[in-house]
mmCIF file of all heavy atoms in Angstrom:
data_model
loop_
_atom_site.group_PDB
_atom_site.id
_atom_site.type_symbol
_atom_site.label_atom_id
_atom_site.label_comp_id
_atom_site.label_asym_id
_atom_site.label_seq_id
_atom_site.Cartn_x
_atom_site.Cartn_y
_atom_site.Cartn_z
ATOM 1 N N LEU A 406 -22.869 65.128 9.391
ATOM 2 C CA LEU A 406 -22.461 66.405 8.761
ATOM 3 C C LEU A 406 -22.693 66.335 7.249
ATOM 4 O O LEU A 406 -23.283 67.246 6.648
ATOM 5 C CB LEU A 406 -20.998 66.677 9.082
ATOM 6 C CG LEU A 406 -20.353 67.914 8.448
ATOM 7 C CD1 LEU A 406 -20.908 69.197 9.058
ATOM 8 C CD2 LEU A 406 -18.818 67.884 8.628
ATOM 9 N N PHE A 407 -22.217 65.201 6.655
ATOM 10 C CA PHE A 407 -22.161 65.145 5.187
ATOM 11 C C PHE A 407 -23.394 64.597 4.506
ATOM 12 O O PHE A 407 -23.833 65.105 3.460
ATOM 13 C CB PHE A 407 -20.955 64.265 4.754
ATOM 14 C CG PHE A 407 -19.641 64.810 5.203
ATOM 15 C CD1 PHE A 407 -18.818 64.084 6.063
ATOM 16 C CD2 PHE A 407 -19.209 66.074 4.778
ATOM 17 C CE1 PHE A 407 -17.593 64.597 6.484
ATOM 18 C CE2 PHE A 407 -17.988 66.568 5.195
ATOM 19 C CZ PHE A 407 -17.196 65.840 6.043
ATOM 20 N N LEU A 408 -23.972 63.516 5.084
ATOM 21 C CA LEU A 408 -25.024 62.812 4.373
ATOM 22 C C LEU A 408 -26.253 63.694 4.066
ATOM 23 O O LEU A 408 -26.778 63.670 2.920
ATOM 24 C CB LEU A 408 -25.414 61.521 5.086
ATOM 25 C CG LEU A 408 -26.387 60.625 4.297
ATOM 26 C CD1 LEU A 408 -25.843 60.249 2.925
ATOM 27 C CD2 LEU A 408 -26.764 59.395 5.104
ATOM 28 N N PRO A 409 -26.756 64.499 5.044
ATOM 29 C CA PRO A 409 -27.934 65.325 4.685
ATOM 30 C C PRO A 409 -27.619 66.315 3.552
ATOM 31 O O PRO A 409 -28.506 66.618 2.717
ATOM 32 C CB PRO A 409 -28.217 66.085 6.000
ATOM 33 C CG PRO A 409 -27.576 65.270 7.073
ATOM 34 C CD PRO A 409 -26.363 64.632 6.439
ATOM 35 N N LEU A 410 -26.363 66.763 3.497
ATOM 36 C CA LEU A 410 -25.995 67.681 2.440
ATOM 37 C C LEU A 410 -25.999 66.977 1.094
ATOM 38 O O LEU A 410 -26.539 67.472 0.112
ATOM 39 C CB LEU A 410 -24.598 68.265 2.716
ATOM 40 C CG LEU A 410 -24.419 69.083 3.976
ATOM 41 C CD1 LEU A 410 -22.959 69.499 4.155
ATOM 42 C CD2 LEU A 410 -25.298 70.351 3.936
ATOM 43 N N ARG A 411 -25.376 65.798 1.074
ATOM 44 C CA ARG A 411 -25.363 65.049 -0.183
ATOM 45 C C ARG A 411 -26.767 64.760 -0.695
ATOM 46 O O ARG A 411 -27.076 64.925 -1.853
ATOM 47 C CB ARG A 411 -24.564 63.734 0.006
ATOM 48 C CG ARG A 411 -24.538 62.881 -1.247
ATOM 49 C CD ARG A 411 -23.828 61.568 -1.063
ATOM 50 N NE ARG A 411 -22.389 61.665 -1.075
ATOM 51 C CZ ARG A 411 -21.604 61.787 -2.164
ATOM 52 N NH1 ARG A 411 -22.201 61.916 -3.351
ATOM 53 N NH2 ARG A 411 -20.324 61.849 -2.099
ATOM 54 N N ARG A 412 -27.617 64.321 0.271
ATOM 55 C CA ARG A 412 -29.013 63.995 -0.145
ATOM 56 C C ARG A 412 -29.726 65.202 -0.711
ATOM 57 O O ARG A 412 -30.389 65.105 -1.743
ATOM 58 C CB ARG A 412 -29.793 63.539 1.088
ATOM 59 C CG ARG A 412 -29.573 62.079 1.362
ATOM 60 C CD ARG A 412 -30.595 61.667 2.426
ATOM 61 N NE ARG A 412 -30.384 60.310 2.766
ATOM 62 C CZ ARG A 412 -30.529 59.799 3.980
ATOM 63 N NH1 ARG A 412 -30.867 60.575 4.993
ATOM 64 N NH2 ARG A 412 -30.307 58.526 4.197
ATOM 65 N N ALA A 413 -29.600 66.350 -0.003
ATOM 66 C CA ALA A 413 -30.321 67.545 -0.466
ATOM 67 C C ALA A 413 -29.752 68.022 -1.813
ATOM 68 O O ALA A 413 -30.492 68.484 -2.686
ATOM 69 C CB ALA A 413 -30.201 68.648 0.596
ATOM 70 N N LEU A 414 -28.439 67.879 -1.968
ATOM 71 C CA LEU A 414 -27.808 68.453 -3.160
ATOM 72 C C LEU A 414 -27.904 67.544 -4.380
ATOM 73 O O LEU A 414 -27.900 68.034 -5.501
ATOM 74 C CB LEU A 414 -26.306 68.760 -2.848
ATOM 75 C CG LEU A 414 -26.073 69.953 -1.917
ATOM 76 C CD1 LEU A 414 -24.641 69.950 -1.367
ATOM 77 C CD2 LEU A 414 -26.349 71.267 -2.644
ATOM 78 N N THR A 415 -27.938 66.217 -4.143
ATOM 79 C CA THR A 415 -27.926 65.306 -5.282
ATOM 80 C C THR A 415 -29.171 64.420 -5.338
ATOM 81 O O THR A 415 -29.387 63.744 -6.359
ATOM 82 C CB THR A 415 -26.693 64.359 -5.250
ATOM 83 O OG1 THR A 415 -26.847 63.454 -4.140
ATOM 84 C CG2 THR A 415 -25.429 65.166 -5.098
ATOM 85 N N GLY A 416 -29.932 64.347 -4.243
ATOM 86 C CA GLY A 416 -31.091 63.440 -4.218
ATOM 87 C C GLY A 416 -30.674 62.000 -3.997
ATOM 88 O O GLY A 416 -31.508 61.095 -4.122
ATOM 89 N N ARG A 417 -29.423 61.790 -3.705
ATOM 90 C CA ARG A 417 -28.961 60.391 -3.551
ATOM 91 C C ARG A 417 -28.048 60.246 -2.315
ATOM 92 O O ARG A 417 -27.471 61.221 -1.862
ATOM 93 C CB ARG A 417 -28.153 59.950 -4.772
ATOM 94 C CG ARG A 417 -28.911 60.192 -6.040
ATOM 95 C CD ARG A 417 -28.177 59.575 -7.229
ATOM 96 N NE ARG A 417 -28.882 59.926 -8.452
ATOM 97 C CZ ARG A 417 -28.665 59.318 -9.601
ATOM 98 N NH1 ARG A 417 -27.803 58.348 -9.692
ATOM 99 N NH2 ARG A 417 -29.343 59.670 -10.670
ATOM 100 N N ASP A 418 -27.927 59.023 -1.870
ATOM 101 C CA ASP A 418 -27.078 58.756 -0.696
ATOM 102 C C ASP A 418 -25.611 58.525 -1.063
ATOM 103 O O ASP A 418 -24.745 58.655 -0.218
ATOM 104 C CB ASP A 418 -27.556 57.473 0.027
ATOM 105 C CG ASP A 418 -28.838 57.735 0.814
ATOM 106 O OD1 ASP A 418 -29.332 58.885 0.765
ATOM 107 O OD2 ASP A 418 -29.341 56.812 1.444
ATOM 108 N N HIS A 419 -25.396 58.156 -2.291
ATOM 109 C CA HIS A 419 -24.009 57.839 -2.732
ATOM 110 C C HIS A 419 -23.767 58.547 -4.045
ATOM 111 O O HIS A 419 -24.710 58.901 -4.759
ATOM 112 C CB HIS A 419 -23.855 56.341 -2.989
ATOM 113 C CG HIS A 419 -24.204 55.514 -1.788
ATOM 114 N ND1 HIS A 419 -23.357 55.375 -0.723
ATOM 115 C CD2 HIS A 419 -25.335 54.817 -1.496
ATOM 116 C CE1 HIS A 419 -23.957 54.611 0.178
ATOM 117 N NE2 HIS A 419 -25.147 54.262 -0.247
ATOM 118 N N GLY A 420 -22.498 58.679 -4.370
ATOM 119 C CA GLY A 420 -22.178 59.256 -5.656
ATOM 120 C C GLY A 420 -20.774 59.803 -5.685
ATOM 121 O O GLY A 420 -19.970 59.526 -4.778
ATOM 122 N N PRO A 421 -20.485 60.552 -6.698
ATOM 123 C CA PRO A 421 -19.133 61.082 -6.854
ATOM 124 C C PRO A 421 -18.745 61.965 -5.683
ATOM 125 O O PRO A 421 -19.601 62.469 -4.956
ATOM 126 C CB PRO A 421 -19.214 61.910 -8.149
ATOM 127 C CG PRO A 421 -20.396 61.391 -8.882
ATOM 128 C CD PRO A 421 -21.341 60.920 -7.833
ATOM 129 N N ASP A 422 -17.459 62.184 -5.541
ATOM 130 C CA ASP A 422 -16.891 63.057 -4.529
ATOM 131 C C ASP A 422 -17.594 64.419 -4.576
ATOM 132 O O ASP A 422 -17.638 65.072 -5.622
ATOM 133 C CB ASP A 422 -15.400 63.226 -4.857
ATOM 134 C CG ASP A 422 -14.685 64.072 -3.824
ATOM 135 O OD1 ASP A 422 -15.309 64.447 -2.835
ATOM 136 O OD2 ASP A 422 -13.481 64.346 -4.067
#
Side-chain angles (χ1 to χ4, degrees):
L406 176 70
F407 299 118
L408 187 58
L410 298 176
R411 178 183 282 283
R412 277 191 183 143
L414 289 165
T415 68
R417 307 187 185 196
D418 285 1
H419 304 281
D422 182 5

